[in-house]
Amino acid sequence: MIQKRLLIAWFVTGLFFSLWGLITCGTLFRWVYFIDPSVIYNTGLLNFSFQWASLAVLGNFIFAAVFVMIYSIIHSSIKAKGIKKGLIFGLLLWIMGSFLFFLRVSINLKPFVVFLYWTINDFFVFLICGVIISLIYEKKDKRQKRFR
């Protein structure tokens, strides 16, 4: 039963990562990549194509699998329950990953706005995905409650 919940959490999280990326990076905040020092990036990669979209979705699902596996390993060490547990998990991963990356890279590279955008974006994504995973993973079966 845990494997089934892991697969469901992986699929839903991967789908969320992909849709969030399409909405934010692909449309609403696409302009961030065209600000003056950020133009050093190859903005031709931002043009929508099937190859780009399929690689982005594949990357999102791989990232979601890692996210869910980390949750399955450390979920018992987080003492909260439900949504609060997911928020703590998402915040921990954001601090360990995205925020530390931002601190290290923003000092050395010029497109500060892009790294700031990534850090703020990841903050919300990690929190929401942490909640999604915790709600799906911690969902109790009616059969489990009956036999206990």
Side-chain angles (χ1 to χ4, degrees), residues 32-33 35-41 102 105-106 108-118:
V32 170
Y33 298 102
I35 295 176
D36 189 25
S38 301
V39 177
I40 63 170
Y41 291 120
F102 170 74
V105 174
S106 65
N108 299 326
L109 298 176
K110 294 188 184 201
F112 179 77
V113 175
V114 173
F115 294 111
L116 183 64
Y117 163 67
W118 286 347

Side-chain angles (χ1 to χ4, degrees), residues 6 10 16 21 24 39 47 52 56 58 66 70-71 75 78 84 90 94 97 109-110 116 120-121 124:
L6 282 173
W10 166 71
F16 175 76
T24 58
V39 177
N47 295 331
W52 175 86
L58 178 65
V66 171
I70 292 172
Y71 183 83
H75 76 94
I78 302 172
K84 191 173 181 182
W94 179 75
L109 298 176
K110 294 188 184 201
L116 183 64
I120 293 169
N121 186 44
F124 291 107

Side-chain angles (χ1 to χ4, degrees), residues 13 17 63-72 74 78 85-101 122-123 125-127 129-130 133:
T13 306
F17 275 136
F63 189 70
V66 171
F67 213 76
V68 171
M69 287 299 135
I70 292 172
Y71 183 83
S72 70
I74 70 167
I78 302 172
K85 189 175 205 171
L87 289 172
I88 292 170
F89 172 71
L91 185 64
L92 287 173
L93 282 188
W94 179 75
I95 289 170
M96 291 185 304
S98 184
F99 185 66
L100 292 176
F101 171 77
D122 286 351
F123 177 75
V125 170
F126 283 23
L127 288 180
C129 287
I133 293 169

Side-chain angles (χ1 to χ4, degrees), residues 25-69:
C25 296
T27 55
L28 292 177
F29 299 107
R30 187 176 176 184
W31 57 269
V32 170
Y33 298 102
F34 294 96
I35 295 176
D36 189 25
S38 301
V39 177
I40 63 170
Y41 291 120
N42 184 357
T43 53
L45 293 174
L46 295 175
N47 295 331
F48 186 80
S49 68
F50 179 74
Q51 291 85 7
W52 175 86
S54 58
L55 283 175
V57 170
L58 178 65
N60 288 332
F61 274 89
I62 290 171
F63 189 70
V66 171
F67 213 76
V68 171
M69 287 299 135

